[in-house]
Amino acid sequence: MNKSQNEKDTVKQAPAKDAITVLSLFSGCGGMDLGFEGGFTCFAKSVNEGIHPDWISEHIGDQVLLKATGFKTVFADDIRPDAKTAWDTYFQTRNSSSLSVYHLDSVVDLVKRAKAGESVFPSHVDIVTGGFPCQDFSVAGKRLGFNSLRSHNGGKLAVDEPSIESRGRLYMWMREVVTLTKPNIFVAENVKGLTNLGDVKEIIEHDFSEAGGNGYLVVPAKVLYAPDYGVPQSRERVIFFGFKKAALKKRAIDALSAPVIAKEYDPYPQKTHGDGLKPYVTTSDVLGDLPEPDQATDLAQKAFSKAKYLSNGSQGQSEIKLDRVGPTIRSEHHGNIEFRRLSAEHGGKHTEELQKGFTERRLTVRECARIQTFPDDYQFVFPATDTHPALSASDAYKIIGNAVPCVLAYNIAMNLREKWDNYFKKHS
């Protein structure tokens, strides 16, 4: 899509009086938040109109404007200043009051302040979302899980600091927020590696169910494969859903407690891409119209890691395959983000591009953002101004890699929105 069309990339939104409110934890740069609100552009190939004909508000070239969901983020939080800078800069283009939404605090400190009597969280919250930190569960890390050596504020866990405040147990503090705010539903996200780390998944399900004094029905967590929902990336994430029992209709309690949940109550979204459905979205589908960095005007497309190729077989030393989904965009890559193309000397297969004189380089910030299904008007690289600090390419790579793909989150959100009245009593 041409940059001149960017004025259509988002819907300028004022909070609707009847909006379903969302409290977002571990918000990062807002992939989950944007997906839950909708009203952003993505590539048309990411939407299966045969299954969801009413999801599109407008066709704009090879992209579409997704309809708003009716959900509204009223509180967001993270400990990363760069994530807040990105979130504030983007979301204020959607809602002029958004600058008061994002908080730069540890969830542990927020809960402690709330329990001490401070008015920390909004008085009315319908949904709590949170992608609690994944580093301690990821197969790419040391997999210390609940025994993390990192503190809730990102530093090293102090000798006298309670283990419950470690990074690996922050989901327990998300549970505390659920207890304090009493939402109708909570949605938690983490890496697939959590599901094969002993009985961690079952422990987390049980712990979440005890929110609000055993007040939540937690359905068995499932792993979602992002390409099944129109995301051009081989990302797999485990999703937890918890429903407030007191707000649920009797029929919904029965359905959600069944060994197999009926389609009209299943909180996990229907697959839209893959075998027998719409083809998976490839990296070529979403990157093909972008100019080379030296020809780009978008700062995020001009910026890319200059880390040199290493022949040691480590992560990030391969080029993307244009006819397939892309690799998982990682946060902690130390500059070794995957290559957009390798030279022939290093085994590059994109012969046609190499013959045109295109050089070896790694993925740009914009290319990573597109693979994560962020809209083009989300600016990830910019200089400092009077109203916000600068955001560097290095910071941008990290916060993009930490995000939930917007289109995956949109599938989750729209599925819940469409079934909301099936679940909940009126005025709950």
Side-chain angles (χ1 to χ4, degrees), residues 290-304:
L290 289 173
E292 283 299 292
D294 61 352
Q295 299 296 316
T297 56
D298 175 12
L299 294 180
Q301 179 60 10
K302 295 174 79 69
F304 62 95

Side-chain angles (χ1 to χ4, degrees), residues 10-24 32-39 68-76 87 90-101 122 124-129 413 417 420:
T10 55
V11 176
K12 189 78 170 181
Q13 300 182 55
K17 291 182 180 179
D18 59 348
I20 298 173
T21 58
V22 181
L23 184 154
S24 166
M32 181 80 89
D33 305 337
L34 183 54
F36 258 72
E37 290 192 357
T69 62
F71 295 150
K72 190 66 189 174
T73 307
V74 294
F75 186 100
W87 197 102
Y90 176 71
F91 277 84
Q92 70 177 336
T93 68
R94 297 167 57 86
N95 175 12
S96 57
S97 64
S98 68
L99 289 178
S100 63
V101 170
H124 176 79
V125 172
D126 295 303
I127 304 173
V128 169
T129 65
R417 185 67 187 91
W420 194 265

Side-chain angles (χ1 to χ4, degrees), residues 179-219:
T179 297
L180 289 165
T181 59
K182 303 178 178 61
N184 282 353
I185 185 171
F186 66 81
V187 184
E189 175 265 353
N190 209 278
V191 293
K192 176 188 177 183
L194 177 151
T195 63
N196 53 34
L197 189 61
D199 54 358
V200 166
K201 181 178 81 74
E202 289 73 22
I203 290 173
I204 292 176
E205 288 171 350
H206 176 266
D207 287 343
F208 271 143
S209 72
E210 294 186 333
N214 196 31
Y216 282 79
L217 192 166
V218 177
V219 300

Side-chain angles (χ1 to χ4, degrees), residues 356-369:
K356 291 180 179 178
F358 292 166
T359 58
E360 176 177 289
R361 66 168 175 83
R362 295 182 184 272
L363 288 168
T364 67
V365 169
R366 176 60 63 202
E367 287 165 342
C368 290

Side-chain angles (χ1 to χ4, degrees), residues 161-181:
E161 193 170 3
S163 62
I164 192 64
E165 296 183 12
S166 75
R167 186 176 62 185
R169 292 182 179 268
L170 286 181
Y171 77 92
M172 293 288 283
W173 296 87
M174 178 176 177
R175 185 187 74 174
E176 290 299 302
V177 174
V178 171
T179 297
L180 289 165
T181 59

Side-chain angles (χ1 to χ4, degrees), residues 29-107:
C29 63
M32 181 80 89
D33 305 337
L34 183 54
F36 258 72
E37 290 192 357
F40 64 95
T41 55
C42 70
F43 279 84
K45 289 186 177 182
S46 288
V47 181
N48 189 329
E49 290 188 75
I51 295 175
H52 300 300
D54 59 341
W55 280 16
I56 295 174
S57 291
E58 183 181 358
H59 286 265
I60 312 168
D62 57 358
Q63 297 199 23
V64 293
L65 178 64
L66 297 173
K67 69 181 286 188
T69 62
F71 295 150
K72 190 66 189 174
T73 307
V74 294
F75 186 100
D77 178 70
D78 206 284
I79 62 171
R80 292 191 65 109
D82 49 6
K84 174 175 167 54
T85 295
W87 197 102
D88 283 348
T89 302
Y90 176 71
F91 277 84
Q92 70 177 336
T93 68
R94 297 167 57 86
N95 175 12
S96 57
S97 64
S98 68
L99 289 178
S100 63
V101 170
Y102 203 110
H103 301 259
L104 197 61
D105 279 295
S106 158
V107 65

